[in-house]
Amino acid sequence: RNDQQKATDVLRRALKIVPHKLFSFAKLWRMTAELELRRRRVSEARKLFGQAIRFCGHKAGVYVRYAEVEMALGEVERVRTILVKWVESMPRLANAWIAFARFEHAMNETERWRAILEVAVSNEVVNAVDLPELVWKTYVDCCVESGLIDDARQLYERMVLQSPHEARVFVSYAEFEKENGGGVDENERCEMAREIFHRGDHALADHLAAVEA
């Protein structure tokens, strides 16, 4: 314990030296907070994580670790607050939206994760995020995992409308139908997947024809 206190003191002195308004170090904040947690000083650790978000709010790792700590402590509402702050601070980061939705999915909060992902796939947001395809995939996966197969199918139809010339959308859609198609018979599922491939072929052909015209 004495060694932990000494280490904490050293890190806190380092934090006082760094001119945080000019630049800061997320790892330094996290290390100090981790030591406070080892000393069972949860309140102090929270203050440090809060400061880390204040000065290093552009670092995803700060939010991830803080949320992990609060989750381990069983503080669901605190986790939710952290994830809201992460999305607000980094709205262009797909992983922020995905982490938030996945958290609510794990909590069996269907309305919440669906609302989050609906915002994430809205034109205003999805056109700005770094990895929009991951947001869509997460939405589909959450629906499938929740047994909402028809809803997942509707998502694919929305993707097709948004990106009618994207071959990977049709491939993913076809694979989905093969695995989750409405028919219990494997041949029927394969036929549904085949129809999606045909739709993709026609859509791509029309797109190429329009480009060459």
Side-chain angles (χ1 to χ4, degrees):
R1 287 185 178 180
N2 193 40
D3 288 342
Q4 288 180 353
Q5 182 171 348
K6 288 180 179 178
T8 304
D9 291 343
V10 170
L11 290 174
R12 282 189 174 277
R13 284 198 295 271
L15 285 172
K16 289 181 179 180
I17 294 171
V18 176
H20 299 290
K21 291 184 179 181
L22 297 177
F23 61 87
S24 193
F25 300 100
K27 187 174 183 179
L28 185 57
W29 288 107
R30 291 204 311 270
M31 288 173 61
T32 311
E34 297 281 358
L35 278 173
E36 292 291 16
L37 286 171
R38 291 181 188 177
R39 299 173 64 196
R40 302 180 185 278
R41 289 157 55 92
V42 176
S43 179
E44 291 300 316
R46 282 177 175 147
K47 290 177 184 177
L48 288 162
F49 276 119
Q51 290 291 84
I53 288 175
R54 177 186 174 190
F55 293 113
C56 305
H58 60 291
K59 296 289 187 179
V62 173
Y63 300 95
V64 172
R65 184 55 187 145
Y66 193 6
E68 288 175 348
V69 167
E70 294 295 0
M71 195 64 193
L73 294 171
E75 297 287 350
V76 173
E77 285 304 321
R78 286 182 181 273
V79 175
R80 186 169 285 127
T81 299
I82 293 164
L83 294 174
V84 167
K85 183 67 175 177
W86 188 11
V87 167
E88 290 175 345
S89 300
M90 306 177 72
R92 294 186 178 183
L93 186 68
N95 283 334
W97 292 96
I98 291 169
F100 195 3
R102 276 297 182 183
F103 163 75
E104 296 295 1
H105 187 267
M107 295 295 104
N108 294 316
E109 294 282 358
T110 303
E111 290 186 9
R112 287 179 182 271
W113 65 256
R114 292 195 68 158
I116 291 164
L117 289 169
E118 272 301 318
V119 173
V121 299
S122 65
N123 288 336
E124 182 180 352
V125 176
V126 80
N127 291 332
V129 296
D130 55 348
L131 297 168
E133 66 276 9
L134 286 186
V135 177
W136 281 105
K137 183 180 185 302
T138 298
Y139 203 168
V140 169
D141 289 346
C142 283
C143 285
V144 171
E145 291 165 18
S146 300
L148 304 172
I149 303 303
D150 286 340
D151 290 350
R153 184 175 290 113
Q154 290 173 19
L155 287 174
Y156 272 114
E157 289 295 335
R158 287 167 64 182
M159 282 188 270
V160 166
L161 286 174
Q162 280 199 357
S163 305
H165 55 277
E166 287 285 349
R168 59 186 175 181
V169 172
F170 287 98
V171 170
S172 180
Y173 192 179
E175 291 175 346
F176 162 80
E177 290 294 6
K178 188 175 184 299
E179 295 296 325
N180 305 282
V184 295
D185 181 78
E186 184 177 356
N187 290 331
E188 187 175 348
R189 294 199 302 272
C190 288
E191 182 58 33
M192 294 172 73
R194 192 174 292 112
E195 289 178 8
I196 300 298
F197 278 124
H198 286 323
R199 284 177 60 187
D201 285 341
H202 290 308
L204 291 173
D206 291 342
H207 175 69
L208 289 174
V211 171
E212 294 173 355

